[in-house]
Amino acid sequence: MPATLHPSALMLGLMLGCGLAQAAEQLAPEALAARLDIPRPAVIAHRGASFDAPESTAASYTLARDLGADYLEMDLQRSKDGVLFALHDNNLQRTTDVAHKFPERKDSPANAFTMAELKTLDAGSWFNQAHPDRARPGFVGLKILTLDEIIDIAQGSSQHKPGLYIETKEPQLFPGIEHDLKEQLQHRGWLSPSGSTLAKGDLAVGQGQGKVVLQTFDKHSLELLYQEMPRVPKILLLWLAPGSIEPASGQSFASSGETDKAAFYARQQPRDQAEFKRWVDFAKARGAIGTGPSAALSGGGEQSYADLVQPWMNQYTHEQGLLVHVYTVDEPVDLQKVMSAGVDGIFTNRSDELLKYFQRPAGTSVSRLLDASGY
Ligand code: G3P
Ligand code: CA
């Protein structure tokens, strides 16, 4: 437009110029997943095998890999001294002993700590206290992991090499993190094609074209990820709340006065179909290969949100030539529901159960794999 050309038109022209026609075509989900080398349905290990081991630690990522999950999912942050690492929460209180090691700084954001400081924290003992039925002595003292260390785990088995499914977490706190991520992935050879060392027929997501998937809730971060890594598959995560997909109720959980978060979200719907479709359309216009919507879980709980995988939603997303990877589903009744609704992949805390559900069971039990890894 010279004067008035919309940025999305520029982006579309750029995408087509780069040969990324899949973003402009309307491929069926099977064909799109096959073209991108993304398993369908995909097993995405949410913070690792985080039901069975402390989230985002070597125990949970190693277990997810050894179970045979397709992807190791992580929330990417950057330390005060510029090191990329994985942690879900903005601060360290829930999953570390920061209150004991740094009492004056316990409420500080994780990015106010250097990597050396973060490495002094125990990121495993909280799990033993929260889940005594799944506790293990070997979880005590587990460390926060850098991206580099998670890549080592992904590459570290001769049996199965999972891919990486990386979220830019609160990217407004980390200007330039999309560029830093590109540099790191490039440095480790994860942005170039690699020859498989596995036997033909083995699952080798981590060695194919779809070995990295990038994900974000943040529209601007999606644009930056596209600029930095135009050829890497990207997912726009979807969330129903004021300021995101606008809810019909106009309410946020905080403003609602409710106490049961899952019950509140289960009642929420997009303002109208057009509002939901606007987000899908944005994802497509900015070069995403799919969306990552939330699910409402039958048992409620901390990770139960608005149902954004209703059949009409998935159908619309598929009609735009995009995949649907839903978060975060563990129980058979919910797995059945989201698969029937038409999703193409599932974030799960229970890779073991999801692999069984998809009739791809691990050859060894969770308990034996944790034993074998020394936990
Ligand atoms: O990345 C999407 C999925 O992980 C769900 O969101 O809050 O657990 O990062 P969250
Ligand atoms: Ca995440």
Side-chain angles (χ1 to χ4, degrees):
M1 59 180 174
T4 54
L5 186 59
H6 192 276
S8 65
L10 284 171
M11 187 64 76
L12 189 60
L14 200 63
M15 281 159 25
L16 292 168
C18 291
L20 288 180
Q22 85 264 1
E25 287 174 10
Q26 296 188 358
L27 288 179
E30 301 82 4
L32 177 57
R35 178 194 276 199
L36 295 168
D37 258 352
I38 295 175
R40 181 177 182 278
V43 175
I44 305 158
H46 184 241
R47 312 177 201 168
S50 57
F51 177 86
D52 295 298
E55 66 187 58
S56 310
T57 64
S60 64
Y61 285 123
T62 303
L63 178 59
R65 177 198 71 193
D66 294 345
L67 285 166
D70 296 316
Y71 289 101
L72 308 184
E73 194 267 351
M74 75 192 78
D75 306 291
L76 198 68
Q77 302 198 36
R78 189 173 59 203
S79 68
K80 187 178 175 186
D81 54 338
V83 180
L84 298 180
F85 68 95
L87 185 77
H88 176 267
D89 296 4
N90 175 260
N91 78 44
L92 296 152
Q93 291 242 46
R94 180 178 63 89
T95 57
T96 78
D97 60 348
V98 67
H100 173 66
K101 301 252 174 64
F102 299 94
E104 294 84 24
R105 297 165 68 195
K106 66 180 167 51
D107 296 316
S108 300
N111 65 6
F113 293 76
T114 65
M115 201 61 228
E117 289 172 333
L118 293 171
K119 281 289 187 186
T120 66
L121 300 174
D122 174 350
S125 290
W126 73 272
F127 182 92
N128 286 353
Q129 285 150 23
H131 308 291
D133 52 322
R134 286 167 255 156
R136 284 180 167 251
F139 293 160
V140 174
L142 285 169
K143 302 298 180 196
I144 287 175
L145 295 180
T146 64
L147 171 61
D148 226 23
E149 290 167 328
I150 299 171
I151 290 176
D152 288 342
I153 292 170
Q155 296 178 161
S157 166
S158 59
Q159 303 299 309
H160 175 63
K161 296 191 187 299
L164 301 173
Y165 207 114
I166 306 173
E167 178 181 353
T168 50
K169 177 63 73 183
E170 299 209 41
Q172 74 282 1
L173 299 178
F174 306 104
I177 196 168
E178 296 84 3
H179 179 75
D180 295 348
L181 175 58
K182 193 261 296 271
E183 298 266 298
Q184 185 82 8
L185 290 172
Q186 212 158 37
H187 175 68
R188 294 298 304 263
W190 277 65
L191 295 184
S192 355
S194 54
S196 174
T197 57
L198 299 183
K200 210 173 163 73
D202 280 353
L203 293 167
V205 184
Q207 297 189 332
Q209 186 200 341
K211 61 189 166 189
V212 179
V213 178
L214 306 171
Q215 45 157 343
T216 183
F217 284 102
D218 187 295
K219 286 178 165 178
H220 184 52
S221 190
L222 178 66
E223 294 172 329
L224 294 175
L225 289 169
Y226 183 84
Q227 284 171 24
E228 293 290 342
M229 294 170 272
R231 292 183 179 279
V232 177
K234 283 166 282 294
I235 291 279
L236 180 64
L237 299 166
L238 301 181
W239 177 246
L240 186 75
S244 296
I245 297 178
E246 293 295 331
S249 70
Q251 286 184 319
S252 66
F253 173 58
S255 72
S256 70
E258 297 249 3
T259 50
D260 185 335
K261 190 167 67 136
F264 169 80
Y265 280 116
R267 287 198 307 275
Q268 303 304 306
Q269 293 289 333
R271 184 170 57 199
D272 52 29
Q273 291 203 355
E275 171 65 7
F276 177 84
K277 291 176 180 177
R278 261 193 290 280
W279 282 74
V280 177
D281 295 347
F282 180 92
K284 178 170 178 169
R286 297 305 193 276
I289 58 88
T291 61
S294 58
L297 307 178
S298 53
E302 267 303 298
Q303 295 178 6
S304 184
Y305 308 116
D307 180 0
L308 295 180
V309 286
Q310 297 164 48
W312 70 265
M313 297 171 168
N314 299 332
Q315 186 181 336
Y316 180 77
T317 308
H318 286 156
E319 284 168 1
Q320 310 318 305
L322 301 179
L323 298 174
V324 179
H325 288 171
V326 63
Y327 66 91
T328 300
V329 186
D330 293 344
E331 298 299 327
V333 61
D334 297 319
L335 297 174
Q336 176 67 42
K337 184 177 168 202
V338 300
M339 287 306 294
S340 299
V343 306
D344 306 297
I346 299 178
F347 292 71
T348 186
N349 303 305
R350 304 192 69 165
S351 292
D352 187 41
E353 294 300 321
L354 185 53
L355 287 160
K356 280 183 202 154
Y357 183 82
F358 289 152
Q359 301 187 328
R360 292 169 45 194
T364 314
S365 70
V366 163
S367 176
R368 285 192 178 190
L369 288 172
L370 287 169
D371 287 348
S373 296
Y375 298 109

